[in-house]
Amino acid sequence: MKTFVLLHSAFLNASTWDSIQQKLSDKGFKVLAVELPGHGSDKANFTNITMDTYRDAVISVIEKLDEKVILLGHSMSGMVASAVAEAIPDKIEKLVYLAAFVPANGEALIDLSKHNTTIVNESMIASNDGLTMDIKQTAVLDIFFNGDERFQQFIDDNYQAEPTIPLTNAVSLSAENFGRVPKAYIHTLNDQSIAYNLQQQMAEVAGIEELYSIHSGHAPNISAVDELFNILLEVAGNTVA
């Protein structure tokens, strides 16, 4: 069976994958949900966290495996997954973006976010020391779950401020490495975090032709588990054994 490596979004942690991880495991897949440095139980100092820190943490997980993996990046982790694919393309069977940022060579997340038309940019709060980015408390539920109060407890339990430095770090990509990794993009049509039209633009620039869509907000791994699970089965079925 194939192996999934799942990367969570900014402001949350690996628990966002619990339901998907269980469903994929029950189907026979091997699934690893990576906790990025400075998130969840990892208390790394934000001063020391860069995009390379994220990349290297994921590489260390993948390189322990004998098999190739389907690497999925959600939201901000589209940047991370891209950097990983550039570094170890021969270990990536397919690169999957879920409502994710997809950089071109030399782009940082902060560059891509300038083209975003959702409420995210106006809701951000930078710390005085520049090391932390936060979201206005009144906007978090809207950004991730389109205001659906069923998920307020999840936000209360898991939301955290985000390290700023990785958001400003450019990702270097090449046609020789990143360019030869097969890719798929899963669009979230009702997204209030990364606008659907920006998702489309990034996928088109990256030349991604394997496209899927979910009628959900930004976090279908929590709010539309069954729909996302079915798409991931299709994604895995479209890989070469």
Side-chain angles (χ1 to χ4, degrees), residues 69 111 146 183 189 203:
V69 306
D111 300 320
N146 294 18
K183 302 172 184 69
L189 302 180

Side-chain angles (χ1 to χ4, degrees), residues 82 217 233:
S82 299
L233 291 181

Side-chain angles (χ1 to χ4, degrees), residues 71-175:
L71 178 62
L72 191 161
H74 178 212
S75 194
M76 176 276 292
S77 277
M79 307 294 294
V80 183
S82 299
V84 172
E86 172 67 21
I88 53 169
D90 292 333
K91 291 288 292 185
I92 312 302
E93 184 172 2
K94 183 176 287 185
L95 186 55
V96 184
Y97 297 93
L98 172 62
F101 286 103
V102 186
N105 179 43
E107 282 188 316
L109 187 150
I110 196 170
D111 300 320
L112 291 166
S113 68
K114 293 175 183 177
H115 306 290
N116 205 6
T117 56
T118 65
I119 63 173
V120 166
N121 291 351
E122 66 190 46
S123 303
M124 291 294 176
I125 306 170
S127 62
N128 290 334
D129 61 9
L131 291 176
T132 302
M133 191 66 68
D134 218 332
I135 300 175
K136 293 178 183 177
Q137 185 176 356
T138 54
V140 176
L141 190 65
D142 288 332
I143 286 170
F144 281 99
F145 298 110
N146 294 18
D148 191 331
E149 294 184 356
R150 291 177 298 170
F151 302 104
Q152 183 62 58
Q153 189 61 55
F154 183 88
I155 292 295
D156 292 344
D157 292 342
N158 293 284
Y159 176 83
Q160 67 164 79
E162 184 71 14
T164 302
I165 294 172
L167 308 181
T168 67
N169 293 153
V171 175
S172 296
L173 304 172
S174 67

Side-chain angles (χ1 to χ4, degrees), residues 2-240:
K2 299 179 185 295
T3 298
F4 280 90
V5 174
L6 310 176
L7 310 182
H8 62 80
S9 71
F11 302 105
L12 295 174
N13 55 58
S15 70
T16 59
W17 294 113
D18 285 354
S19 295
I20 289 291
Q21 186 170 14
Q22 185 62 59
K23 290 180 77 69
L24 287 171
S25 297
D26 289 347
K27 200 70 174 178
F29 292 95
K30 183 175 182 178
V31 188
L32 301 173
V34 179
E35 194 91 89
L36 295 177
H39 295 77
S41 60
D42 186 293
K43 304 303 179 185
N45 191 313
F46 283 12
T47 307
N48 302 320
I49 297 176
T50 67
M51 183 58 65
D52 287 351
T53 310
Y54 290 162
R55 177 200 64 196
D56 293 346
V58 178
I59 289 174
S60 70
V61 171
I62 294 174
E63 287 191 330
K64 294 175 183 175
L65 304 171
D66 294 329
E67 68 275 17
K68 289 187 175 185
V69 306
I70 300 171
L71 178 62
L72 191 161
H74 178 212
S75 194
M76 176 276 292
S77 277
M79 307 294 294
V80 183
S82 299
V84 172
E86 172 67 21
I88 53 169
D90 292 333
K91 291 288 292 185
I92 312 302
E93 184 172 2
K94 183 176 287 185
L95 186 55
V96 184
Y97 297 93
L98 172 62
F101 286 103
V102 186
N105 179 43
E107 282 188 316
L109 187 150
I110 196 170
D111 300 320
L112 291 166
S113 68
K114 293 175 183 177
H115 306 290
N116 205 6
T117 56
T118 65
I119 63 173
V120 166
N121 291 351
E122 66 190 46
S123 303
M124 291 294 176
I125 306 170
S127 62
N128 290 334
D129 61 9
L131 291 176
T132 302
M133 191 66 68
D134 218 332
I135 300 175
K136 293 178 183 177
Q137 185 176 356
T138 54
V140 176
L141 190 65
D142 288 332
I143 286 170
F144 281 99
F145 298 110
N146 294 18
D148 191 331
E149 294 184 356
R150 291 177 298 170
F151 302 104
Q152 183 62 58
Q153 189 61 55
F154 183 88
I155 292 295
D156 292 344
D157 292 342
N158 293 284
Y159 176 83
Q160 67 164 79
E162 184 71 14
T164 302
I165 294 172
L167 308 181
T168 67
N169 293 153
V171 175
S172 296
L173 304 172
S174 67
E176 293 78 12
N177 292 340
F178 173 77
R180 64 182 167 90
V181 177
K183 302 172 184 69
Y185 199 107
I186 305 172
H187 295 294
T188 42
L189 302 180
N190 304 321
D191 204 309
Q192 297 301 311
S193 180
I194 303 178
Y196 174 48
N197 65 339
L198 178 56
Q199 294 180 33
Q200 290 177 299
Q201 291 168 19
M202 292 186 292
E204 183 177 357
V205 169
I208 301 173
E209 297 181 352
E210 185 178 341
L211 304 173
Y212 305 88
S213 61
I214 301 177
H215 286 277
S216 78
H218 190 58
N221 44 341
I222 302 163
S223 64
V225 172
D226 289 343
E227 293 90 336
L228 178 57
F229 169 67
N230 288 331
I231 288 176
L232 293 181
L233 291 181
E234 190 171 350
V235 167
N238 285 338
T239 58
V240 177

